Amino acid sequence: MTSRRAQEQDDKRARILRAAVHAFSHHGYHQTRISDIAKAANVADGTVYLYFEGKREILSKIFEERMAASLERGREELRRIDGAVEKLRRLVELHLEDLGENPELATVFQIELRHSTGFMELYSRGELRDYFQLIAEILEQGQKEGCIRNDIDPWFATKCIFGVLDEAATNWILSKRNYRLRSSATQILDFILNGLSASPG
């Protein structure tokens, strides 16, 4: 009975988060009320407060849990790939696939998070630092393999790469998603590697 109750609570919490993503993406974070989220999740307003203190915590949990899931997926897939260039290629694809397959979530990440007063606090959370670390480790591996320039700081390059991916996703959202986001992967990777590749000889 306890296990069943815990499962029901987990399901209800997940339903509230999904409803919040939908509401934030369609109405905006600031315009969305707790009652809007509750209605979309088919729960009472008070039920939302049993799981979250308010909208800010809901937004924070959406960010944290999605970043954690993306990081776990990335690490799992990269374990099966050897070379740094192929790892970087797959990471770019995964980043764009994840957002491209979830347009409502992409809108929350790329638009609504920026309008939140707590965005910089969310931006510096451990999950994003761990994601940066994953990219930096690929670049360091590439430097050891001789396929990425040694005169570039991996952390500086990591932030540049994330910035390119972030801007590509934002442009996709603002363009009303009239193309597949993942289709940008090859062009983005070519741009990144032409700036990072070691010169022959």
Side-chain angles (χ1 to χ4, degrees):
M1 183 66 71
T2 302
S3 177
R4 180 179 177 182
R5 180 176 177 80
Q7 182 62 51
E8 289 175 350
Q9 289 177 337
D10 288 345
D11 291 345
K12 194 171 292 186
R13 181 182 182 279
R15 203 161 72 236
I16 291 169
L17 287 177
R18 287 195 300 271
V21 168
H22 177 79
F24 291 159
S25 68
H26 286 273
H27 308 299
Y29 171 76
H30 292 292
Q31 286 70 41
T32 297
R33 300 166 299 179
I34 289 294
S35 59
D36 298 324
I37 297 172
K39 183 178 180 180
N42 196 28
V43 299
D45 293 7
T47 301
V48 176
Y49 290 105
L50 295 176
Y51 296 90
F52 307 99
E53 292 181 0
K55 285 197 306 180
R56 180 167 177 171
E57 186 182 8
I58 292 173
L59 185 64
S60 174
K61 292 304 179 184
I62 290 170
F63 177 83
E64 289 176 8
E65 294 180 15
R66 195 62 193 189
M67 284 301 304
S70 296
L71 188 60
E72 181 179 359
R73 182 187 178 194
R75 284 172 171 160
E76 180 62 29
E77 293 223 12
L78 294 182
R79 287 191 191 102
R80 300 193 289 266
I81 302 173
D82 293 325
V85 169
E86 289 307 311
K87 284 184 177 180
L88 189 58
R89 182 189 309 280
R90 187 58 186 140
L91 191 68
V92 168
E93 291 173 346
L94 287 172
H95 188 106
L96 300 179
E97 283 174 7
D98 200 29
L99 293 175
E101 292 170 1
N102 299 276
E104 290 186 341
L105 183 70
T107 299
V108 172
F109 266 44
Q110 304 303 132
I111 306 298
E112 296 308 319
L113 270 173
R114 271 65 171 178
H115 295 162
S116 166
T117 55
F119 170 67
M120 290 311 298
E121 177 186 342
L122 291 173
Y123 195 81
S124 63
R125 289 283 173 85
E127 291 79 8
L128 189 56
R129 288 198 304 271
D130 289 345
Y131 190 66
F132 280 13
Q133 180 65 45
L134 184 62
I135 299 173
E137 287 172 359
I138 295 173
L139 299 180
E140 289 169 356
Q141 178 184 340
Q143 288 176 328
K144 291 176 182 177
E145 293 173 353
C147 59
I148 289 179
R149 289 165 45 185
N150 283 310
D151 61 337
I152 291 181
D153 175 20
W155 274 100
F156 172 78
T158 290
K159 292 175 183 178
C160 291
I161 290 170
F162 184 83
V164 170
L165 294 172
D166 193 55
E167 187 63 23
T170 299
N171 285 337
W172 178 69
I173 292 294
L174 296 178
S175 69
K176 307 302 181 183
R177 306 186 297 275
N178 58 6
Y179 59 93
R180 291 181 66 245
L181 182 56
R182 190 189 183 283
S183 67
S184 305
T186 299
Q187 188 173 0
I188 289 173
L189 189 69
D190 181 63
F191 171 78
I192 291 170
L193 292 177
N194 279 333
L196 298 177
S197 297
S199 300

